[in-house]
């Protein structure tokens, strides 16, 4: 067996080469792809690395905040140690379970293996998460409608004296509601299998895993439990033994007597519990808000709202803007004239005031995160449409586009497989700034008291900094204000770094 070459025997790339050496293949390096080269330039900038680090922290807490900050015990048993269980796990929502399992499975898939196909694995994992969330949202909307129909039918049966029939109707509707998630999974999974994204075996694996996680999560949390936080009182009374997670407070766990307490306030001392009680030693690290809820817990849970508002609304805007811009730039003429008038109409709509009016007139059940996402996404796509239009007008007469037309390729293939990949760079740069703008809009709405009523928000915490009598509480301004500032600044830094990385003039200067 031949001996393996030592490290000294491996030829090294010379620091400088001549033209003759290059002709012989000495010192020739394999060129990177466009996006690989752009990403390598992005991560060389210190500001971009700091921004990516902060956004990774925000994304981590967006997924794991329900596990790290909860007023429900991680493990609870009776005083004698019998009847143990985990109230924290039982009170997790279906979305918590979907994000937890998708992250737990997806991160090793992305990290492990060679870096050559890491981008394709990242795309597969993200598409699986999107598919699972779509199945979850659709199932809950349809299931909620069926459940309300069942409740109305049961009430009518009880009123008319046909209670057994009413109970049967409730049972049938409940069973139908539980089957909704499976039907939605089959429908959306089939649609994803038909999309030309990646290879068919990979798509099939992603669909199976995403559908399985979504269906199981919906079935496990079809009827969420009513949250009650009587654990501290039971601990003081000696009725239970409880072990909590890192932050033993939930964002909606309120103590009316602990309004606007400063950071470091001890729970037992503030409520005059004995220092020998099991609740001694628990503190509010960042103080409490006007309702006596823990600020630190709300800041961690609000990471999910900020990430989802920014990413989902920008994705909606990206889809609409790229489609409209592609049609305007490719066809031109009367199509461009007509559609650009539509763009100008949407440009004239003030998004913030539209949101204020919409949320003010909507009923409470519609003041949700999803409605705000949809409104922001449907009215902030004009910039992306104009960028796409300009790129398509520049590229539509190029040789590769004319070759695709001469080959008889369908319009969909020409627009989105040939022209769009070559002109999407400015749009993606604008996307990062759009995410930051969406987060700022949501924080402004929440500060005005018009934000989502179902989620903790940094802007809502910020609104509690000044009380009705004009008293200023610094911790309610500094902590959520810094979270908003750092998140928006990180997206702006990332967008600026990406813009410089794809700038052809700067790229030529680097070469």
């Amino acid at each position: 067996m031949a001996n393996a070459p030592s490290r000294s025997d491996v030829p090294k790339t010379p620091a400088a080469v001549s033209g003759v050496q290059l002709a012989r293949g000495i010192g020739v390096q394999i060129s990177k792809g466009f996006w690989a080269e752009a990403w390598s330039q992005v991560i060389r900038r210190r500001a971009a690395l700091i921004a990516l680090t902060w956004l990774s922290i925000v994304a981590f807490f967006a997924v794991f905040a329900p596990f790290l900050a909860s007023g429900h015990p991680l493990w609870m048993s009776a005083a004698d140690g019998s009847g143990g269980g985990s109230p924290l796990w039982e009170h997790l929502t279906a979305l918590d379970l979907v994000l937890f399992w998708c992250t737990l499975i997806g991160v090793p898939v992305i990290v492990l293996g060679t870096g050559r196909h890491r981008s394709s694995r990242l795309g597969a994992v993200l598409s699986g998460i999107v598919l699972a969330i779509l199945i979850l949202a659709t199932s809950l909307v349809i299931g909620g409608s069926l459940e309300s129909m069942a409740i109305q039918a049961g009430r009518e049966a009880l009123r008319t004296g046909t209670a057994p029939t009413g109970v049967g109707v409730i049972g049938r509707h409940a069973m139908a509601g539980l089957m909704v998630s499976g039907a939605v999974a089959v429908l959306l999974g089939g649609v994803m299998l038909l999309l030309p994204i990646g290879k068919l075996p990979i798509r099939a694996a992603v669909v199976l895993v995403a559908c399985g996680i979504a269906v199981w999560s919906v079935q496990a949390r079809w009827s969420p439990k009513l949250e009650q936080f009587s654990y501290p009182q039971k601990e003081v009374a000696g009725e239970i033994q409880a072990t909590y997670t890192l932050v033993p407070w939930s964002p909606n766990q309120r103590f009316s007597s602990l309004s606007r307490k400063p950071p470091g306030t001890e729970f037992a001392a503030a409520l005059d519990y004995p220092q020998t009680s099991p609740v001694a030693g628990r503190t509010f690290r960042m103080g409490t808000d006007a309702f006596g809820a823990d600020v630190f817990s709300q800041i961690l849970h609000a990471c999910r709202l900020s990430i989802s508002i920014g990413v989902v609304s920008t994705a909606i805007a990206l889809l609409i803007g790229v489609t409209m811009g592609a049609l305007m730039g490719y066809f031109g003429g009367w199509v461009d004239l007509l559609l650009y008038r539509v763009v100008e109409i949407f440009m004239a709509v003030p998004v913030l005031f539209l949101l204020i009016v919409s949320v003010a007139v909507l009923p409470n059940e519609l003041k949700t995160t999803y409605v705000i996402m949809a409104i922001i996404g449907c009215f902030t796509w004009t910039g992306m449409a104009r960028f796409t239009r300009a790129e398509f007008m520049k590229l539509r007469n190029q040789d590769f586009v004319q070759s695709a037309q001469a080959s008889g390729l369908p319009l969909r293939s020409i627009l989105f497989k040939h022209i769009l990949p070559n002109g999407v760079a400015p749009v993606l740069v604008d996307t990062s700034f759009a995410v930051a703008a969406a987060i700022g809009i949501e924080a402004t709405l929440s500060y005005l008291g018009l934000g989502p009523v179902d989620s903790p928000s940094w802007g809502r915490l910020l609104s509690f900094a000044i009380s009705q009598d004009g008293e200023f509480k610094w911790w309610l301004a500094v902590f959520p204000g810094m979270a908003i500032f750092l998140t928006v600044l990180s997206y702006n830094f990332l967008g600026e770094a990406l813009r410089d990385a794809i700038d052809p003039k700067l790229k030529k200067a680097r070469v």
Side-chain angles (χ1 to χ4, degrees):
M1 180 182 296
N3 295 328
S6 62
R7 181 171 299 180
S8 59
D9 297 333
V10 177
K12 298 181 180 179
T13 303
V17 293
S18 62
V20 176
Q21 289 175 316
L22 287 176
R24 295 177 179 177
I26 301 175
V28 176
Q29 298 180 356
I30 300 176
S31 61
K32 297 180 180 179
F34 176 79
W35 290 111
E37 175 64 24
W39 181 251
S40 65
Q41 294 297 327
V42 168
I43 60 178
R44 289 178 185 176
R45 301 185 61 163
R46 182 175 300 177
L49 285 178
I50 296 174
L52 288 171
T53 302
W54 173 254
L55 293 177
S56 300
I57 294 173
V58 173
F60 174 82
F61 286 121
V63 175
F64 295 105
F67 299 88
L68 301 176
S70 177
H72 300 288
L74 185 63
W75 185 261
M76 185 183 70
S77 61
D80 57 357
S82 61
S86 177
L88 185 149
W89 180 263
E90 295 173 359
H91 285 83
L92 292 175
T93 64
L95 181 59
D96 296 335
L97 296 178
V98 165
L99 294 177
F100 173 74
W101 288 113
C102 287
T103 304
L104 203 64
I105 297 173
V107 171
V109 171
I110 297 173
V111 175
L112 299 179
T114 60
R116 182 178 180 181
H117 302 289
R118 186 165 294 167
S119 59
S120 61
R121 296 198 301 271
L122 176 62
V125 170
L126 292 179
S127 61
I129 295 176
V130 171
L131 176 61
I133 294 177
L134 285 177
I135 294 172
L136 171 66
T138 309
S139 301
L140 292 180
V141 170
I142 299 176
S145 302
L146 291 174
E147 204 166 34
S148 62
M149 291 171 55
I151 292 174
Q152 292 178 0
R155 290 175 178 174
E156 182 66 23
L158 291 173
R159 187 182 64 83
T160 57
T162 57
T165 305
V167 173
V169 170
I170 293 176
R172 288 195 298 271
H173 279 82
M175 183 59 66
L178 292 175
M179 295 175 63
V180 166
S181 57
V184 173
V186 172
L187 177 62
L188 294 179
V191 171
M192 185 173 176
L193 285 176
L194 297 177
L195 294 177
I197 303 174
K199 297 181 180 179
L200 182 59
I202 297 177
R203 293 204 305 270
V206 170
V207 166
L208 288 176
V209 174
C211 291
I213 291 175
V215 171
W216 176 81
S217 301
V218 173
Q219 301 291 339
R221 298 295 185 268
W222 182 260
S223 298
K225 291 188 175 183
L226 181 64
E227 288 192 316
Q228 296 180 351
F229 300 97
S230 58
Y231 309 108
Q233 292 80 0
K234 292 182 178 180
E235 286 183 274
V236 173
E239 299 177 6
I240 61 171
Q241 295 179 356
T243 302
Y244 291 87
T245 184
L246 297 178
V247 182
W249 313 112
S250 289
N252 55 347
Q253 185 179 6
R254 299 174 177 179
F255 304 93
S256 57
S257 59
L258 300 181
S259 176
R260 300 177 187 273
K261 294 296 181 180
T265 300
E266 293 189 1
F267 175 70
L271 293 181
D272 294 329
Y273 287 138
Q275 294 300 318
T276 57
S277 63
V279 298
R282 298 177 194 170
T283 61
F284 298 99
R285 294 180 176 87
M286 292 185 179
T288 60
D289 63 6
F291 299 104
D294 182 55
V295 173
F296 189 30
S297 176
Q298 293 184 71
I299 287 179
L300 296 184
H301 282 259
C303 293
R304 179 178 299 181
L305 176 64
S306 298
I307 289 289
S308 58
I309 284 284
V311 173
V312 176
S313 61
T314 304
I316 296 174
L318 184 65
L319 179 63
I320 300 174
V322 167
T323 303
M324 294 285 287
L327 295 176
M328 290 188 294
Y330 181 77
F331 289 105
W334 67 270
V335 176
D336 179 36
L337 183 65
L338 178 62
L339 293 182
Y340 204 82
R341 300 291 82 78
V342 176
V343 172
E344 290 176 342
I345 292 174
F346 277 85
M347 287 174 59
V349 177
V351 179
L352 181 58
F353 290 103
L354 175 66
L355 281 167
I356 293 174
V357 174
S358 301
V359 176
V361 301
L362 288 174
N364 288 331
E365 56 269 16
L366 292 180
K367 293 180 182 179
T368 62
T369 307
Y370 306 106
V371 174
I372 294 180
M373 289 177 187
I375 295 176
I376 295 176
C378 291
F379 286 89
T380 57
W381 53 268
T382 54
M384 301 176 188
R386 289 184 294 163
F387 277 121
T388 308
R389 172 179 176 268
E391 291 296 319
F392 271 62
M393 283 186 170
K394 182 176 66 175
L395 296 172
R396 65 181 179 180
N397 295 323
Q398 296 292 325
D399 293 339
F400 71 93
V401 178
Q402 295 181 358
S403 299
Q405 293 171 342
S407 301
L409 294 179
L411 178 62
R412 181 187 69 254
S413 178
I414 296 175
L415 289 178
F416 299 109
K417 284 189 175 182
H418 295 275
I419 304 181
L420 183 60
N422 292 279
V424 75
V427 180
L428 292 183
V429 173
D430 184 64
T431 299
S432 61
F433 295 110
V435 174
I439 294 175
I441 291 174
E442 185 279 323
T444 304
L445 279 178
S446 298
Y447 180 82
L448 297 175
L450 300 174
V453 297
D454 56 344
S455 301
S457 171
W458 293 334
R460 185 183 304 167
L461 280 174
L462 199 60
S463 66
F464 295 145
I466 300 179
S467 61
Q468 295 180 354
D469 55 359
E471 187 179 4
F472 177 74
K473 302 296 184 181
W474 65 268
W475 61 90
L476 292 173
V478 171
F479 297 127
M482 286 298 296
I484 297 172
F485 170 75
L486 291 176
T487 304
V488 172
L489 186 66
S490 297
Y491 278 112
N492 288 332
F493 276 158
L494 197 59
E496 183 182 359
L498 186 59
R499 180 191 61 196
D500 294 343
I502 66 176
D503 191 336
K505 296 180 180 179
L506 295 179
K507 184 177 181 180
K508 185 177 181 180
R510 287 193 297 267
V511 175

